[in-house]
Amino acid sequence: MDSTTPTSGVTMTTTQGIKTILHPVSDLAAAKTVYTALLGLAPQADSEYYVGYDAEGQHVGLVPTGGPQAMTAPVAYWQVADIEAKLAEVTAAGATVKEPAHDVGGGRLIATVIDLDGNVLGLLQDQ
């Protein structure tokens, strides 16, 4: 569960850390071979639009051609208890919303923001 931390009179929620990293890939079959060898295990999710591995509490996903998010580089997703609250906090701090919070299946919500240097940061909430 997220905790709250008072900072300069503002209460902010903490994250539960980075637990998911998505990688855009140009050839899903070839990438699956490499990541299976790297991680030493078979994917837990394996479809034409997504391949996902769960390795020691870390989820690694392969997204063909960057998916609907048009990812051009890996995106780390920070696990949060309340995605809307965290979106409000990071946008108040200067980030801009790239992809608003939405359900990607199974009650999992994701969103992305762009920080002040153009880096894409992901947020993820499991319900």
Side-chain angles (χ1 to χ4, degrees):
M1 196 68 164
D2 285 357
S3 63
T4 59
T5 305
T7 305
S8 302
V10 176
T11 299
M12 299 189 310
T13 59
T14 60
T15 72
Q16 299 163 15
I18 296 172
K19 297 192 178 188
T20 301
I21 300 176
L22 300 183
H23 297 269
V25 297
S26 59
D27 182 332
L28 187 60
K32 183 167 71 170
T33 300
V34 170
Y35 281 83
T36 297
L38 172 69
L39 299 170
L41 52 90
Q44 283 69 44
D46 191 351
S47 69
E48 63 188 35
Y49 61 89
Y50 186 80
V51 172
Y53 299 86
D54 288 312
E56 302 295 327
Q58 178 72 53
H59 185 78
V60 176
L62 308 177
V63 183
T65 64
Q69 308 93 326
M71 292 185 311
T72 58
V75 176
Y77 283 80
W78 294 83
Q79 188 88 23
V80 298
D82 184 339
I83 199 166
E84 292 296 344
K86 187 54 70 181
L87 275 170
E89 290 171 11
V90 297
T91 55
T96 57
V97 174
K98 179 176 190 225
E99 181 182 17
H102 63 283
D103 194 311
V104 293
R108 175 170 279 185
L109 302 174
I110 66 166
T112 54
V113 297
I114 300 172
D115 73 8
L116 299 172
D117 292 302
N119 299 303
V120 177
L121 308 173
L123 301 174
L124 183 149
Q125 175 188 329
D126 284 321
Q127 298 190 43

